[in-house]
Amino acid sequence: MNPPVQVVPIPAFRDNYIWCLRDETRAAVVDPGDAAPVFAYLTRENLELSAILATHHHNDHVGGIGALTQRHPVPVYAPFDDRIDGVTNRVAEGDRVRLPQFGLELRVLEIPGHTLTHIAYYGPNMLFCGDTLFACGCGRLFEGTPRQMLTSLTKLAALPEDTLVYCGHEYTESNLRFGRTVDPANPFLESWEQQASDLRRRQQPTLPSSLARERRGNPFLRCDDPVVAAAASRETGQDLGGAVAVFAALREWKNRF
Ligand SMILES: [Zn+2]
């Protein structure tokens, strides 16, 4: 029986997190946009890199793969997308990524929207969802449609509610400001905002979140909620019918926010 794997954030750039799965001696990293902080962490903790997983092609998620694999020729898992180099294992919906060093198997979920080939990795109690689902928010639609993104978010939200959500960026405080604007009378969002600002004041990550929390608070997962739909309708000056229209309006509103 393996000891439980730890999941640790390695901060990168201004607000990225490279998530590191680790035990006493080995580590796997998710979305290493930059190799330098990963090398520094591996050296400091005396860990051997054993795998790399990527969720999507943006450089702040894959930019460090080349330098890492030059020094550590480990398996690299990524979606079928030629824009990601140095991949050893292309994976798609339903594939399993086995990390036997941690006694762990992660399932691949295709979640287009932020990009068309974005994937997530889901395992017992943990979800690595890149730039699709954020704490109280979601990624921008660079390539996909609102309908695609909403379908992807709905798919993630249907996972067990005790799933911990490991997102690609520390955007929680600004997402909560937006969430509170959409739904100002919600005491759950108020206390979440308080917790998040306490953590940030102490320079602690606000992540992981949980699906229970996201389902309850995240406006992008509540497009059927009359409060959220009414706020989006007020903002656009239109009577928005249906969750996709509400989602599209929320996403546009957040872009301007
Ligand atoms: Zn991205």
Side-chain angles (χ1 to χ4, degrees):
M1 175 96 180
N2 297 55
V5 65
Q6 270 185 282
V7 186
V8 178
I10 302 174
F13 306 116
R14 201 161 66 90
D15 50 31
N16 282 73
Y17 290 126
I18 299 165
W19 292 103
C20 178
L21 297 99
R22 60 163 292 185
D23 60 14
E24 291 299 305
T25 57
R26 284 155 305 187
V29 290
V30 182
D31 284 354
D34 188 3
V38 177
F39 283 135
Y41 183 78
L42 295 174
T43 302
R44 191 177 79 226
E45 298 288 318
N46 197 20
L47 298 172
E48 186 192 337
L49 188 67
S50 58
I52 296 171
L53 289 74
T55 62
H56 68 293
H57 76 276
H58 287 157
N59 204 51
D60 63 321
H61 294 254
V62 299
I65 291 176
L68 287 170
T69 51
Q70 214 163 30
R71 209 180 296 178
H72 307 277
V74 300
V76 179
Y77 298 89
F80 286 85
D81 190 322
D82 292 344
R83 296 172 292 187
I84 310 174
D85 290 328
V87 178
T88 61
N89 297 62
R90 300 277 176 187
V91 289
E93 178 75 28
D95 285 345
R96 311 265 167 174
V97 173
R98 287 185 182 84
L99 301 172
Q101 64 273 37
F102 306 125
L104 208 59
E105 193 175 85
L106 302 176
R107 188 151 58 90
V108 176
L109 305 170
E110 291 180 354
I111 47 168
H114 177 68
T115 71
L116 287 177
T117 59
H118 199 306
I119 59 173
Y121 300 92
Y122 168 68
N125 207 36
M126 58 179 82
L127 174 69
F128 299 96
C129 52
D131 289 353
T132 298
L133 176 61
F134 290 124
C136 202
C138 74
R140 287 174 185 265
L141 304 184
F142 286 116
E143 298 177 5
T145 63
R147 182 180 295 278
Q148 276 176 321
M149 187 62 151
L150 182 59
T151 302
S152 295
L153 291 170
T154 305
K155 181 171 172 177
L156 297 181
L159 296 169
E161 70 168 13
D162 62 350
T163 302
L164 297 177
V165 182
Y166 297 92
C167 327
H169 290 268
E170 179 62 63
Y171 289 160
T172 312
E173 279 191 298
S174 91
N175 287 343
L176 281 162
R177 272 195 296 281
F178 178 70
R180 297 259 288 143
T181 302
V182 173
D183 186 6
N186 188 325
F188 180 75
L189 285 177
E190 187 181 353
S191 70
W192 188 358
E193 187 174 47
Q194 188 60 52
Q195 281 174 39
S197 73
D198 288 348
L199 286 166
R200 295 310 292 154
R201 205 173 308 118
R202 290 183 274 123
Q203 284 152 28
Q204 299 289 312
T206 61
L207 303 174
S209 185
S210 71
L211 282 181
R213 175 183 273 189
E214 295 308 319
R215 291 213 291 247
R216 188 158 170 205
N218 189 326
F220 294 97
L221 300 185
R222 295 164 53 217
C223 293
D224 287 324
D225 182 326
V227 173
V228 173
S233 294
R234 261 197 315 279
E235 174 67 14
T236 54
Q238 291 170 337
D239 189 12
L240 298 169
V244 174
V246 170
F247 176 80
L250 280 182
R251 191 52 266 182
E252 288 280 317
W253 185 2
K254 177 67 165 60
N255 291 348
R256 298 190 304 273
F257 187 72

